[in-house]
Amino acid sequence: MAEISSSLKLTHEGALAALNAGIAKAIAMGQPQCISVVDVGGHLLAFVRMDDAFHMSLETSLRKAKTAACYGAPTGGMQDDVAIKLALGTDGQRINLPGGLPIIVDGHCIGGVGVGSGSGEQDREVATAAIAAVPGSQSF
């Protein structure tokens, strides 16, 4: 067993590329959004609350991003009973609303994007556009 391993890291340039792609998609859709981009540890790298986006969506977008990065899977797909237990067990830090996508490159989760302020479908569309801006990222 190896004592160390190499890993990929989402840079601030990658986070800004994802953020800008998400903003462009939200503008094209006519739906202002809150968009959060985090690294694999859930640490915020980039954020925007677009003009007229719902102000409380800054919290849900960040929690969606953290949840997607932590689990390496899109948010919104957990069974309700598991999602409720997870939310209670993490003091609301993990969330199961649609709009969070992990950023996975070469099989490694390097971060997550969370979007909030539109419908779940709109949030996911913007998150999809955001992760597509990171070269080599897996699509969902």
Side-chain angles (χ1 to χ4, degrees):
M1 191 151 79
E3 285 77 19
I4 61 170
S5 68
S6 60
S7 63
L8 299 175
K9 177 183 175 184
L10 181 63
T11 64
H12 76 272
E13 290 97 346
L16 290 174
L19 183 68
N20 288 325
I23 291 169
K25 180 64 174 178
I27 289 170
M29 293 170 58
Q31 176 59 56
Q33 295 280 20
C34 290
I35 305 169
S36 297
V37 183
V38 300
D39 65 14
V40 71
H43 304 284
L44 186 63
L45 294 175
F47 171 78
V48 68
R49 184 177 71 82
M50 296 172 66
D51 295 339
D52 299 321
F54 183 57
H55 69 279
M56 286 300 293
S57 291
L58 69 98
E59 288 294 333
T60 57
S61 73
L62 181 56
R63 290 178 186 189
K64 289 176 188 183
K66 287 180 174 185
T67 301
C70 178
Y71 293 98
T75 60
M78 291 181 203
Q79 295 176 332
D80 287 341
D81 61 331
V82 173
I84 291 169
K85 290 175 186 175
L86 180 62
L88 289 171
T90 62
D91 214 16
Q93 293 301 304
R94 299 294 179 258
I95 195 167
N96 190 39
L97 297 173
L101 293 177
I103 303 171
I104 298 176
V105 176
D106 293 336
H108 300 277
C109 185
I110 61 170
V113 173
V115 180
S117 202
S119 68
E121 184 176 301
Q122 290 170 321
D123 295 351
R124 186 172 172 126
E125 279 185 60
V126 172
T128 298
I131 66 169
V134 178
S137 64
Q138 178 180 325
S139 59
F140 293 91

